């Protein structure tokens, strides 16, 4: 491994954030080697005292802050002191980027708004993290991570939860972590431009839009292209999460074959009905008691071993207490000790072969580095960067996209949106599995081109088909690899290893290539070859255990495990690109899906390791607000059901007073004990009952109108396919019209950011299968006769062959 400096060592980043999202974004940058200076008010960042279990001792820094602030510097700035203000501007003059969030202690000061920062320091990349975006009709509306989940459609998601109960949000403030990972990746992308052009810009990131990208599955495109919602009912997936004799275990049946194998595994082959393979969901519900009884008689390890033998997706259900003891994580070193407080925390979400990432240093004490930066001589970034016209960050980069389903394509989707030439590789016998997610009869002409999911994930890409199970196909693939700057793949590890395309072999073809591998559980360890669907990753990382009603088994989010892997893989790639830009050296980036998930579920392990507190699911309540819950509203939904809900989250005592006034100051709400968060938590059941009585008499629009006017975070629990009805998304142009040659025009989501330098990104249609075979293969030297021969030999093609 190289001993050169960390890839981001040249960057100085000023952290003007509060809360998890901003802290996680700058943690990723610090882990990559950036000099991150956390600017704090004299009283310190409120995150220093945060604990989901309220376990931080007075005067101490909390464990989560200690984790998120590893390797950072702390500078105290009192905006009422001229010397401090001057020192801050000196720091900003030397900086390359600022990460700014709406929950920062400095956010209310006009002189430090994103626009003001860029005006004063035009070279800066200013990344702004806000609930709804900097502009638009909702830009000043109050929100929490919980209410954003409701607006995004993420609480409904892919039909998560029992239909006879309230829907359930994904726990663990997951949207904060996901938004942070987006912010770091987009900042690194923008820094590539700024280094070339010498000109900064504002990245206006909407957390609502990142929630849409992480918790919903191109539902708007599905509705418009297929003329029906992706899901219309909530349900509990069977087997899903079940109780074994010694803990929780999860099994998944995503295909008919997996259901058939499950029937055999539990000793009931007579349950198989191959004439009705699409009725497995109904059949599974009917047989659930017998399946659960079989599981309950066995240990978690026994169930997982049996399921692995039958290639049924499976995992133990992780939580703060058991994750660090799992053999796979122990063997891979997935957890390390915090350098200051000694508790367990996740290791980095990716691994590199050509260079070392930064070893975490202790989080700084409040103001520990103030004098260092006050005494530092002023520096100007502009002297060290180029002066070229700005372009899209990845213009001129060729990426071979050997990914499928959601995790990998969500990574390469961003690359394609920001200028890369992305070649999506499939074969006519093994196409991308998302082409099948549409419910289109196989008798329809070009049925494989009609998937809204494939369409949403693959805009701006090219398509090449190569059957690399053949010798000639492997030869062509190797020639194609030689022409690519980056290769991204998410097969199980054995697929490329078996045909001699591991990283060392690929490096022989293209010495400076960056190869991003996205296995579910990593390239080594006992679980290396486990099947890795999103829900399995959620189970194995602890995300699932915080999701669901407390009197029921946890429910799998069935979403975030995939796109979270994609955005972390992109961060790893961008760090590797920074290394190659400086040294010319490529690298392997191992970005295991589960490592990304462990990082965004970090709070569970940290709370248990530091304080002995086991976080658990609590329905729609949460540690950041009280009250926080879903409440039923009046009216009938679009499916004719009495199933309308609103999300309300009171994050501060002031918001509670405002809510009380908004609902008419009833006697129960004016009791002094309810004036504090602690008192409201004790009385949460009673508050829920009273608020439910109030909301039940009003429709959801009226509830939102009343509470938003009072400054209280509130949201309608949206169906995800209704996202285009949100005025804020319309104002920001989050959806764009894409004209597909088979499917016609439909709305497609773009990116959850507005670049001030590139306000209107272009999104072309997803490619037809093999559409660019001739163009791409001719470009690597094949003549027309050779291409025709590949078609005749069925090594390439434009129609499915099975």
């Amino acid at each position: 491994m190289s001993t050169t400096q960390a890839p981001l060592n040249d960057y100085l980043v000023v952290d003007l954030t509060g809360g998890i999202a901003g802290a996680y974004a700058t943690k990723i940058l610090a882990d990559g080697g950036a000099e991150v200076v956390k600017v704090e008010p004299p009283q310190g960042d409120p995150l220093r005292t945060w604990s989901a279990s309220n376990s931080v001792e007075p005067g101490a820094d909390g464990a989560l802050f200690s984790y998120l602030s590893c390797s950072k510097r702390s500078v105290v700035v009192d905006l009422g002191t001229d010397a401090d203000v001057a020192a801050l501007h000196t720091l900003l003059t030397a900086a390359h980027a600022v990460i700014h969030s709406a929950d920062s202690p400095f956010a209310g000061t006009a002189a430090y708004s994103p626009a003001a920062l860029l005006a004063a320091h035009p070279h800066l990349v200013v990344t702004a993290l806000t609930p709804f975006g900097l502009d638009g009709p909702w830009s000043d509306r109050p929100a929490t991570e919980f209410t954003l989940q409701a607006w995004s459609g993420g609480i409904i998601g892919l039909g998560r939860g029992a239909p006879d109960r309230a829907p359930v949000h994904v726990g663990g403030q997951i949207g904060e972590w996901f938004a942070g990972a987006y912010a770091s990746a987009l900042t690194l992308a923008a820094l590539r431009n700024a280094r070339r052009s010498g000109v900064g810009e504002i990245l206006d990131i909407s957390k609502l839009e990142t929630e849409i990208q992480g918790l919903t599955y191109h539902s708007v495109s599905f509705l418009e292209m297929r003329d029906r919602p992706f899901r219309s009912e909530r349900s509990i997936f069977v087997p899903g999460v079940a109780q074994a004799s010694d803990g929780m275990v999860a099994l998944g049946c995503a295909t008919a074959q997996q259901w058939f194998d499950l029937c055999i595994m539990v000793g009931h082959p007579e349950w198989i009905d191959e004439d009705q393979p699409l009725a497995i969901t109904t059949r599974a519900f009917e047989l659930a008691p017998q399946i659960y009884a079989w599981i309950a008689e066995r240990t978690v390890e026994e169930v997982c071993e049996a399921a692995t033998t039958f290639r049924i997706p499976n995992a133990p259900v992780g939580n703060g207490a058991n994750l660090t003891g799992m053999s796979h994580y122990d063997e891979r070193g997935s957890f390390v000790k915090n350098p200051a407080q000694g508790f367990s925390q996740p290791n980095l979400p990716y691994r590199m072969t050509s260079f070392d990432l930064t070893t975490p240093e202790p989080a700084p004490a409040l103001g520990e580095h103030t004098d260092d930066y006050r005494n530092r001589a002023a520096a100007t970034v502009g002297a060290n960067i180029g002066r070229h016209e700005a372009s899209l960050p990845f213009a001129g980069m060729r990426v071979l996209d050997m990914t499928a389903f959601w995790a990998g394509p969500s990574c390469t989707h961003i690359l394609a949106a920001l200028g890369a030439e992305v070649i999506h590789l499939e074969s006519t016998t093994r196409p991308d599995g998302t082409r099948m997610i549409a419910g289109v009869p196989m008798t329809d002409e070009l049925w494989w081109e009609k998937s809204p999911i494939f369409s949403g994930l693959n805009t701006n890409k090219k398509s090449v088909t190569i059957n690399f199970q053949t010798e000639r196909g492997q030869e062509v693939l190797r020639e194609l690899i030689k022409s690519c700057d980056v290769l991204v793949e998410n097969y199980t590890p054995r697929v490329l290893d078996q045909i001699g395309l591991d990283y060392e072999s690929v490096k022989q073809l293209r010495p400076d290539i960056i190869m991003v591998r996205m296995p579910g559980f990593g390239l080594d360890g006992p679980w290396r070859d486990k099947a890795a669907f999103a829900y399995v990753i959620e189970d194995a990382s602890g995300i699932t255990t915080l999701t669901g009603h407390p009197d029921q088994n946890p429910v799998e989010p069935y979403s975030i495990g995939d796109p979270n892997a994609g955005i972390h893989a992109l961060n790893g790639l961008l760090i590797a690109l920074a290394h190659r830009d400086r040294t010319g050296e490529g690298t392997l980036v191992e970005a295991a899906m589960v490592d990304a998930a462990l990082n965004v579920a970090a709070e569970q392990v940290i709370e248990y390791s530091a304080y002995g507190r086991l976080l658990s699911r609590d329905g729609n309540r949460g540690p950041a607000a009280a009250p926080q819950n879903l409440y039923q509203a009046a009216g009938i939904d679009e499916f004719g059901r009495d199933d309308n809900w609103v999300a309300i989250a009171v994050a501060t005592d002031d918001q509670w007073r405002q809510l009380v006034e908004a609902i008419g100051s009833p006697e129960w709400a004016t009791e002094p004990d309810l004036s504090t968060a602690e008192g409201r938590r004790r009385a949460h059941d009673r508050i829920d009952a009273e608020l439910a009585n109030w909301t039940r008499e009003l429709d959801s629009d009226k509830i939102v109108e009343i509470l938003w006017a009072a400054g209280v975070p509130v949201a309608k629990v949206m169906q995800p396919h209704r996202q285009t009805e949100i005025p804020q998304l319309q104002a920001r142009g989050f959806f764009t019209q894409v004209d597909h040659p088979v499917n016609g025009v439909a709305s497609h989501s773009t990116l959850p950011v507005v670049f001030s330098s590139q306000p209107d990104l272009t999104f072309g249609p997803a490619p037809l299968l093999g559409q660019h075979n001739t163009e791409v293969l001719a470009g690597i030297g094949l003549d027309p006769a050779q291409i025709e021969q590949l078609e005749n030999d069925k090594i390439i093609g434009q129609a499915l062959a099975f």
Side-chain angles (χ1 to χ4, degrees):
M1 181 174 288
S2 172
T3 57
T4 58
Q5 64 184 14
L8 306 184
N9 186 262
D10 292 339
Y11 288 123
L12 172 60
V13 178
V14 175
D15 181 347
L16 289 176
T17 71
I20 290 172
Y24 189 54
T26 53
K27 177 190 183 298
I28 290 173
L29 299 176
D31 289 340
E35 180 182 2
V36 174
V37 180
K38 183 166 188 59
V39 178
E40 304 183 68
Q43 68 272 26
D45 181 352
L47 193 62
R48 285 183 179 272
T49 59
W50 167 260
S51 160
S53 63
N54 197 28
S55 297
V56 180
E57 295 291 336
D61 286 338
L64 186 66
F65 177 87
S66 186
Y67 165 65
L68 289 171
S69 298
C70 282
S71 306
K72 298 179 185 178
R73 307 290 181 260
S74 172
V75 169
V76 167
V77 170
D78 182 349
L79 295 182
T81 303
D82 290 344
D84 282 12
V85 171
L88 177 56
H89 280 283
T90 297
L91 177 62
L92 292 168
T93 299
H96 300 83
V98 173
I99 313 296
H100 183 285
S101 70
D103 49 9
S104 164
F106 301 97
T109 305
Y112 297 97
S113 69
L117 289 168
L118 184 64
H121 304 279
H123 68 282
L124 282 174
V125 170
V126 181
T127 299
L129 273 164
T130 62
F132 296 110
L134 292 172
D135 299 305
W138 288 7
S139 60
D140 61 349
R141 301 295 172 89
T144 69
E145 193 275 336
F146 177 67
T147 62
L148 291 176
Q149 274 200 40
W151 281 123
S152 75
I155 285 182
I156 299 296
L158 300 184
R160 177 177 57 254
D164 59 342
R165 300 284 295 271
V168 285
H169 79 303
V170 181
Q173 300 188 79
I174 195 68
E176 284 286 294
W177 297 87
F178 189 61
Y182 248 107
S184 55
L186 293 170
T187 299
L188 287 172
L191 283 168
R192 291 178 62 80
N193 254 355
R195 187 171 284 278
R196 289 193 296 260
S197 69
V199 178
E201 62 177 316
I202 294 174
L203 310 187
D204 178 7
I205 298 175
S206 160
K207 292 181 183 178
L208 169 62
E209 293 167 11
T210 61
E211 297 253 13
I212 289 172
Q213 300 288 52
L215 298 176
T216 70
Y217 202 28
H218 298 277
S219 304
V220 166
S221 301
F222 200 100
L223 177 70
E224 295 187 14
M225 290 172 62
R226 304 307 311 151
D227 198 30
R228 64 177 176 84
F230 187 74
R231 290 278 192 275
S232 60
E233 296 182 352
R234 297 194 300 280
S235 62
I236 299 292
F237 296 100
V238 177
V241 177
Q243 182 66 53
S245 64
D246 62 344
M248 291 280 189
V249 65
L251 300 174
C253 291
T255 68
Q257 185 60 55
Q258 288 167 356
W259 165 249
F260 298 159
D261 291 338
L262 178 75
C263 295
I264 296 170
M265 183 181 79
V266 301
H268 289 282
E270 72 278 8
W271 291 350
I272 297 173
D273 183 357
E274 295 192 19
D275 294 329
Q276 297 291 331
L278 299 182
I280 60 175
T281 300
T282 301
R283 190 74 173 129
F285 272 109
E286 294 172 354
L287 300 169
Q290 295 176 69
I291 297 171
Y292 291 145
W294 184 91
I295 294 171
E297 294 172 352
R298 291 160 175 82
T299 66
V300 170
E301 184 176 0
E302 289 169 344
V303 173
C304 288
E305 285 181 357
T308 299
T309 299
F310 281 92
R311 298 196 62 76
I312 297 168
N314 68 88
V317 177
N319 60 43
N322 67 12
L323 281 166
T324 57
M326 293 183 181
S327 60
H328 182 75
Y329 301 141
D330 183 57
E331 184 169 318
R332 280 178 53 80
S334 299
F335 293 96
V336 296
K337 294 299 182 183
N338 180 268
Q341 299 187 20
F343 57 79
S344 295
Q345 65 184 41
N347 209 335
L348 302 181
Y350 24 70
R351 304 171 184 200
M352 315 291 182
T353 56
S354 298
F355 55 87
D356 292 310
L357 292 169
T358 302
T359 300
E361 299 173 3
L366 178 62
E368 180 179 344
H369 304 94
T370 302
D371 290 342
D372 295 344
Y373 285 90
R374 278 183 176 159
N375 298 328
R376 180 180 291 190
T380 301
V381 168
N384 301 316
I385 56 180
R387 297 289 176 184
H388 303 286
E389 185 177 348
S391 59
L392 289 172
F394 305 119
M397 181 186 301
R398 172 173 272 198
V399 178
L400 182 56
D401 179 10
M402 298 178 68
T403 71
F405 289 101
W406 193 357
S410 69
C411 170
T412 54
H413 174 260
I414 299 171
L415 294 172
L418 296 181
E421 178 192 17
V422 177
I423 301 169
H424 191 60
L425 184 70
E426 305 173 77
S427 75
T428 59
T429 56
R430 296 194 177 190
D432 186 333
T434 56
R435 289 187 181 274
M436 318 302 172
I437 305 176
V440 179
M442 294 176 69
T443 53
D444 277 17
E445 185 179 8
L446 298 176
W447 63 268
W448 58 87
E449 304 292 1
K450 298 180 179 180
S451 167
I453 311 302
F454 181 86
S455 186
L457 285 165
N458 293 286
T459 50
N460 284 8
K461 298 181 185 179
K462 296 178 179 179
S463 173
V464 168
T465 55
I466 300 175
N467 181 357
F468 59 78
Q469 299 303 314
T470 65
E471 184 176 342
R472 178 57 177 147
Q474 291 173 23
E475 292 173 357
V476 174
L477 176 56
R478 286 181 168 85
E479 289 302 310
L480 179 57
I481 288 172
K482 292 177 183 178
S483 74
C484 294
D485 302 289
V486 173
L487 189 161
V488 185
E489 67 89 16
N490 69 341
Y491 299 112
T492 54
R494 66 181 184 278
V495 173
L496 292 188
D497 293 352
Q498 287 175 347
I499 63 169
L501 284 179
D502 60 353
Y503 171 66
E504 289 302 321
S505 301
V506 168
K507 184 179 177 181
Q508 296 301 312
L509 300 172
R510 171 89 181 218
D512 68 344
I513 199 165
I514 296 172
M515 183 178 187
V516 182
R517 303 194 68 176
M518 298 177 61
F521 291 97
L523 297 176
D524 56 17
W527 298 352
R528 174 183 185 269
D529 294 318
K530 268 185 182 287
F533 293 85
Y535 55 87
V536 173
I537 297 300
E538 294 157 359
D539 298 327
S541 63
I543 294 173
T544 294
T545 202
L546 293 186
T547 303
H549 296 291
D551 59 336
Q552 295 178 327
N553 287 344
V555 294
E556 295 151 329
Y558 241 81
S559 55
I560 191 68
D562 274 331
N564 182 63
I567 196 64
H568 281 82
L570 180 60
N571 273 288
L573 169 59
L574 283 159
I575 291 169
L577 283 169
H579 174 77
R580 188 173 68 184
D581 288 345
R582 191 179 67 249
T583 68
E585 184 179 36
T587 188
L588 169 66
V589 180
E590 181 190 341
M593 294 175 67
V594 79
D595 289 343
L598 289 171
N599 271 262
V600 299
E603 195 165 17
Q604 292 185 62
V605 165
I606 291 170
E607 283 279 334
Y608 188 80
S609 177
Y611 307 122
R613 301 296 295 271
L614 182 63
L615 303 183
S616 60
R617 62 197 176 281
D618 199 13
N620 289 302
R621 296 179 182 178
Q628 174 183 295
N629 218 326
L630 298 187
Y631 304 92
Q632 196 161 13
I636 302 301
D637 71 8
E638 65 181 286
F639 303 110
R641 300 183 302 239
D642 183 18
D643 198 33
N644 286 326
W645 300 85
V646 293
I648 299 174
V650 175
T652 67
D653 293 341
D654 284 342
Q655 289 176 0
W656 173 252
R657 288 189 288 272
Q658 292 156 1
L659 181 146
V660 170
E661 292 178 10
I663 65 175
S665 299
E667 183 177 351
W668 68 266
T670 59
E671 295 178 4
D673 285 351
L674 302 185
S675 63
T676 67
E678 183 180 356
R680 293 193 296 276
R681 289 193 188 284
R682 288 195 300 265
H684 213 309
D685 288 346
R686 182 185 173 196
I687 294 173
D688 281 347
E690 297 287 0
L691 285 179
N693 289 335
W694 179 73
T695 62
R696 202 66 181 86
E697 301 301 317
L698 302 169
D699 67 45
S700 55
D701 287 319
K702 188 63 176 178
I703 295 166
V704 169
E705 177 187 340
I706 292 170
L707 293 186
W708 255 357
V712 178
V714 62
K716 293 166 62 174
V717 178
M718 298 286 289
Q719 290 286 343
H721 57 273
R722 297 298 179 193
Q723 292 158 351
T724 50
E725 298 172 6
I726 295 177
Q728 182 67 12
L729 298 178
Q730 296 169 9
R732 283 173 55 87
F734 177 65
F735 289 98
T736 190
Q737 297 297 296
V738 175
D739 190 358
H740 189 276
V742 173
N743 301 303
V745 178
S747 299
H748 284 60
S749 57
T750 56
L751 296 182
V753 61
V754 175
F755 293 87
S756 62
S757 68
Q758 305 281 347
D760 297 310
L761 298 174
T762 301
F763 289 82
L768 302 178
L769 185 69
Q771 178 180 344
H772 302 92
N773 284 347
T774 298
E775 173 192 334
V776 172
L777 297 182
I780 61 172
L782 275 68
D783 61 34
Q786 290 173 313
I787 295 172
E788 182 179 4
Q789 188 62 52
L790 291 173
E791 292 174 344
N792 292 338
D793 293 341
K794 303 190 185 308
I795 292 170
I796 66 173
Q798 293 182 265
L800 290 189
F802 60 84

